[in-house]
Amino acid sequence: EPRSPWCCLAWTLVIGTMNSLVFLLNLLLMFVIFTLVLLPTIVVVYFGFQCHSQVLHSSARYCESILDDNSSSALIILGFVIMSPLLVVAMAIYCSLARRLQLLVCFQPYSLALYKGGRCCRRGEGAPCWARGCNAQLKAWV
């Protein structure tokens, strides 16, 4: 049975808020994973740029005693070379974690705001997420 206009608007706001929270959770998880996996690249490129005389040329002791322009250039090149495999590793970790937690199944369709009653999936099935209106036939990955 269709909902009243005000009830439909309220449920639309609830579902929109829920979907936004799930999206922010996915974004936060992706940011944390990519930051942790790409940390070696970030550090190597940072020190390479910090100690190179044409870029920042820091007066830190390690820049004057250990790193010259050639070694700084080597660090910059090494950082960008190891970035590609680490991006693949970070994406694989995120995808496997999102699949295991079934985060992409937690998005709710807006059709739940239009009609009263009927759930899209039975209780006990589906994702371990707090949002339980998912379509059991719809999977993010097969």
Side-chain angles (χ1 to χ4, degrees), residues 10-27:
W11 276 103
T12 301
L13 291 175
V14 167
I15 290 173
T17 304
M18 212 164 46
N19 286 344
S20 298
L21 289 174
V22 170
F23 173 75
L24 290 175
L25 178 70
N26 276 303
L27 200 63

Side-chain angles (χ1 to χ4, degrees), residues 1 3 9-10 25 34-35 47 74 83-84 96 98 100 102 120 133 135 137:
E1 146 182 9
R3 296 183 190 272
L9 178 65
L25 178 70
F34 273 75
T35 302
F47 282 120
M83 185 184 303
S84 295
S96 67
R100 180 168 295 147
Q102 297 182 353
C120 291
N135 185 353
Q137 301 299 321

Side-chain angles (χ1 to χ4, degrees), residues 16-67:
T17 304
M18 212 164 46
N19 286 344
S20 298
L21 289 174
V22 170
F23 173 75
L24 290 175
L25 178 70
N26 276 303
L27 200 63
L28 177 70
L29 182 67
M30 188 183 299
F31 176 75
V32 168
I33 289 172
F34 273 75
T35 302
L36 288 176
V37 172
L38 292 176
L39 192 61
T41 298
I42 294 168
V43 169
V44 166
V45 170
Y46 172 76
F47 282 120
F49 278 127
Q50 185 181 15
C51 295
H52 199 280
S53 66
Q54 298 295 320
V55 184
L56 293 177
H57 193 59
S58 175
S59 61
R61 188 180 69 183
Y62 55 85
C63 286
E64 294 173 355
S65 62
I66 299 173
L67 296 174

Side-chain angles (χ1 to χ4, degrees), residues 49-117:
F49 278 127
Q50 185 181 15
C51 295
H52 199 280
S53 66
Q54 298 295 320
V55 184
L56 293 177
H57 193 59
S58 175
S59 61
R61 188 180 69 183
Y62 55 85
C63 286
E64 294 173 355
S65 62
I66 299 173
L67 296 174
D68 59 355
D69 280 349
N70 291 332
S71 58
S72 297
S73 297
L75 282 178
I76 294 169
I77 292 169
L78 175 69
F80 284 114
V81 166
I82 65 173
M83 185 184 303
S84 295
L86 290 179
L87 279 172
V88 172
V89 168
M91 195 61 184
I93 291 172
Y94 168 73
C95 287
S96 67
L97 195 59
R99 183 178 182 190
R100 180 168 295 147
L101 297 176
Q102 297 182 353
L103 292 177
L104 299 177
V105 180
C106 292
F107 286 104
Q108 299 296 311
Y110 283 104
S111 62
L112 291 177
L114 299 177
Y115 298 101
K116 295 180 185 176

